[in-house]
Amino acid sequence: ESALPAFDALHASSATTLATSSDPLFHEAGVWIPATSEWVVTSNRLKPGTPETYVKILAIHYPSGKVRELTHLQEKIVMGNGGTTDFNGGMYLLSQGLGNVSGAIWHVDANLSEARRVGPPEGLVLNSLNDIVVHASTGTLLVTDPAYGVEVQGFRTNYQEAKAVWAVDGPDMAQLSSWRILDEIADQPNGILLSPDEKVAYVSDVWDDEWHNNPEVKLRNGPGTERSIVTAYDVVGGSGSKVTFTNARKFFDLRDDEKAKGFPDGLKADEAGNIYAGCGDGVRVYSPAGEFLGRFVVPGGVANLCFGGPDGKTLLVLSETRAFAVQTKVKGAFF
């Protein structure tokens, strides 16, 4: 559905259903693994509200759509969530934690055979880590940490007061000094993305006061009862200096568009810098200047998405019980 002519230049008007399920298996992550020609995805919470709640970690083959469960990763990465490429064929995958076990960052090798815990170090408790990107110029990890697990969904018992965007600097990410808060303006920082030139960062803020479900824990929230906004920041640093965010500004707010539905969740970019956001009405696409270009309509909405395929021009769209492949005319950035 085109809003501006530039949208038609981005896609090939071709989409296929890759996989379906009666369970919400196609929810988050979506990391392209070249060695196996698969996207790694995480499910929504299964058996929610019970002591047995868990998340599956799956791989979807392209182009066959065959789905396999990565049980050896599930055993280590508790309540898996967002992920991103490590630019060496492997990936980083997030754990939301469970009970009093902190959320954590894990690294998975290019063959999807081994998982190594990156952090946080002992003494630092995080909330339910949601999304992650790598600042390729420095190797710094940028990660969002909302508190859905303790404030809404009830599977976490301890928490971090700050609902923040964190930076994790190398080379020794196991040191407490390597972990620092970049920004705390979001009610619940969710998706995170860098522009192809790494000069701009985008963070989605997703919250509704009606979701709050824990009378014993209510952490700081910003103004208003609903947040459905993507904030852009200038990225400063690199070449020997630490990455920082400056000049926070509204990129888009779905509340400004009466036709928009839901909240902006996962964020991805193509090589031209256009921003693709998973929302309640599908995938909404914006120019680098914040102009709404158009949308791929997906009934039921989209949680996350990821470019991949042999040429980087296939967009994986995750819609809980369905996974789609959309053919595009542009290559994804950081897929």
Side-chain angles (χ1 to χ4, degrees):
E1 183 179 288
S2 176
L4 292 175
F7 181 71
D8 294 327
L10 301 179
H11 65 92
S13 299
S14 175
T16 57
T17 301
L18 267 186
T20 62
S21 172
S22 58
D23 293 321
L25 298 185
F26 314 118
H27 180 60
E28 287 286 0
V31 184
W32 177 249
I33 305 297
T36 62
S37 190
E38 293 173 308
W39 282 285
V40 173
V41 305
T42 55
S43 75
N44 209 327
R45 289 172 298 130
L46 303 173
K47 298 184 179 180
T50 74
E52 294 79 33
T53 188
Y54 72 107
V55 166
K56 287 187 176 183
I57 301 174
L58 308 158
I60 307 175
H61 183 264
Y62 183 79
S64 72
K66 182 179 179 181
V67 177
R68 63 186 178 112
E69 188 173 351
L70 304 176
T71 53
H72 60 293
L73 298 183
Q74 286 172 203
E75 291 170 357
K76 290 185 174 182
I77 305 172
V78 178
M79 303 294 283
N81 206 358
T84 193
T85 178
D86 66 358
F87 293 105
N88 288 305
M91 67 175 180
Y92 291 97
L93 195 62
L94 300 178
S95 162
Q96 300 175 80
L98 185 64
N100 64 359
V101 176
S102 173
I105 302 174
W106 291 77
H107 180 263
V108 181
D109 72 300
N111 294 315
L112 304 180
S113 58
E114 298 291 337
R116 173 183 59 85
R117 191 179 185 276
V118 174
E122 185 176 353
L124 177 59
V125 173
L126 299 178
N127 293 312
S128 302
L129 295 176
N130 190 279
D131 204 2
I132 182 172
V133 291
V134 179
H135 186 263
S137 301
T138 62
T140 295
L141 307 182
L142 308 175
V143 60
T144 59
D145 189 32
Y148 299 127
V150 68
E151 288 193 289
V152 181
Q153 297 161 343
F155 62 84
R156 286 291 304 279
T157 53
N158 61 353
Y159 54 89
Q160 162 68 242
E161 288 281 353
K163 294 183 284 189
V165 178
W166 290 78
V168 188
D169 302 309
D172 189 355
M173 295 182 179
Q175 295 296 317
L176 186 60
S177 59
S178 297
W179 293 68
R180 54 192 173 90
I181 291 176
L182 282 181
D183 187 78
E184 292 184 75
I185 67 171
D187 281 6
Q188 300 278 8
N190 195 303
I192 189 167
L193 173 70
L194 289 169
S195 61
D197 60 7
E198 298 189 323
K199 293 182 178 180
V200 181
Y202 304 89
V203 177
S204 64
D205 187 0
V206 176
W207 180 247
D208 190 324
D209 270 359
E210 293 183 358
W211 298 343
H212 190 267
N213 196 33
N214 188 342
E216 297 182 3
V217 179
K218 183 169 176 59
L219 305 179
R220 175 203 56 81
N221 290 112
T225 60
E226 181 178 299
R227 298 285 285 173
S228 191
I229 190 171
V230 172
T231 299
Y233 305 81
D234 293 334
V235 179
V236 179
S239 301
S241 61
K242 291 184 176 181
V243 173
T244 58
F245 287 0
T246 64
N247 189 27
R249 59 206 182 266
K250 180 175 73 174
F251 183 65
F252 71 81
D253 190 334
L254 291 189
R255 296 173 300 176
D256 295 338
D257 185 346
E258 60 182 19
K259 296 181 180 179
K261 295 181 180 179
F263 300 84
D265 194 337
L267 305 171
K268 293 297 184 288
D270 62 30
E271 284 194 327
N274 298 303
I275 307 304
Y276 298 65
C279 300
D281 52 0
V283 178
R284 298 176 67 88
V285 185
Y286 295 82
S287 75
E291 298 175 295
F292 175 56
L293 301 181
R295 63 178 179 167
F296 302 113
V297 178
V298 180
V302 172
N304 220 317
L305 59 161
C306 179
F307 283 93
D311 60 0
K313 294 182 179 180
T314 302
L315 182 65
L316 175 72
V317 175
L318 301 175
S319 182
E320 301 298 337
T321 59
R322 300 165 298 165
F324 303 99
V326 178
Q327 300 306 312
T328 66
K329 297 178 181 178
V330 290
K331 188 177 180 180
F334 310 130
F335 69 91

